[in-house]
């Protein structure tokens, strides 16, 4: 029930209609499809993932604490701002750590995205 490639929009449409018990075990693999927001399946997959905010939050936190800069950035701009407030609260520490990093040429976009994500966390 995972896309076969970055163009497999049909399977993502099926995921939108699937029962939660069929989707939940696949959340970590589904998040892998947003590693590149240019992939055609990325935005529709985000829509599916956002139906499960409580369940994806620990996985998003793991990504934010990881070392894949593009995936971190994608979560900061495409997932975190769209989460409900209660899910954002769980992520606030991970996002704050990113927002307060020393800025370098390599991480400037992540630090800025983290600062913007923090603004989305304000009540």
């Amino acid at each position: 029930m995972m896309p076969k490639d970055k163009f497999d929009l049909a399977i993502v449409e099926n995921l939108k209609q699937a029962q939660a018990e069929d989707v939940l075990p696949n959340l970590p693999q589904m998040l892998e499809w947003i590693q590149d927001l240019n992939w055609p399946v990325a935005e529709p997959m985000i829509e599916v993932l956002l139906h499960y905010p409580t369940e994806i939050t620990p996985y998003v936190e793991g990504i934010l604490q990881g070392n894949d800069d593009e995936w971190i950035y994608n979560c900061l701009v495409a997932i975190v701002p769209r989460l409900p407030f209660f899910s954002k609260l769980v992520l606030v520490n991970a996002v704050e750590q990113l927002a307060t990093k020393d800025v370098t040429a390599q991480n400037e976009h992540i630090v800025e995205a983290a600062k913007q994500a923090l603004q989305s966390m304000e009540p």
Side-chain angles (χ1 to χ4, degrees), residues 1-18 23 30 33 39-45 47-48:
M1 193 175 246
M2 285 291 100
K4 292 178 179 50
D5 58 47
K6 63 185 178 181
F7 301 103
D8 194 356
L9 296 172
I11 202 78
V12 180
E13 288 302 315
N14 290 342
L15 286 167
K16 289 180 181 180
Q17 306 303 321
V23 174
M30 291 168 65
W33 289 99
W39 292 343
V41 297
E43 184 57 36
M45 187 64 80
E47 292 173 20
V48 175

Side-chain angles (χ1 to χ4, degrees), residues 8-121:
D8 194 356
L9 296 172
I11 202 78
V12 180
E13 288 302 315
N14 290 342
L15 286 167
K16 289 180 181 180
Q17 306 303 321
Q19 297 295 316
E21 61 266 12
D22 296 327
V23 174
L24 293 176
N26 298 305
L27 291 177
Q29 294 81 14
M30 291 168 65
L31 277 160
E32 292 176 11
W33 289 99
I34 68 158
Q35 287 178 305
D36 187 334
L37 292 180
N38 292 315
W39 292 343
V41 297
E43 184 57 36
M45 187 64 80
I46 291 167
E47 292 173 20
V48 175
L49 290 164
L50 289 172
H51 285 288
Y52 305 96
T54 302
E55 294 83 1
I56 66 167
T57 300
Y59 301 116
V60 171
E61 184 175 33
I63 293 166
L64 295 177
Q65 294 170 340
N67 59 9
D68 185 326
D69 287 350
E70 185 173 2
W71 204 5
I72 292 168
Y73 178 81
N74 293 347
C75 284
L76 288 171
V77 299
I79 298 279
V80 174
R82 294 162 68 180
L83 288 170
F85 186 70
F86 64 87
S87 294
K88 290 177 183 180
L89 288 177
V90 175
L91 298 173
V92 72
N93 289 335
V95 176
E96 280 180 343
Q97 287 178 356
L98 293 166
T100 57
K101 281 188 169 187
D102 291 331
V103 177
T104 66
Q106 292 79 25
N107 75 359
E108 182 178 13
H109 65 295
I110 292 173
V111 173
E112 185 58 36
K115 288 178 182 177
Q116 289 179 6
L118 280 176
Q119 289 178 346
S120 81
M121 295 178 175

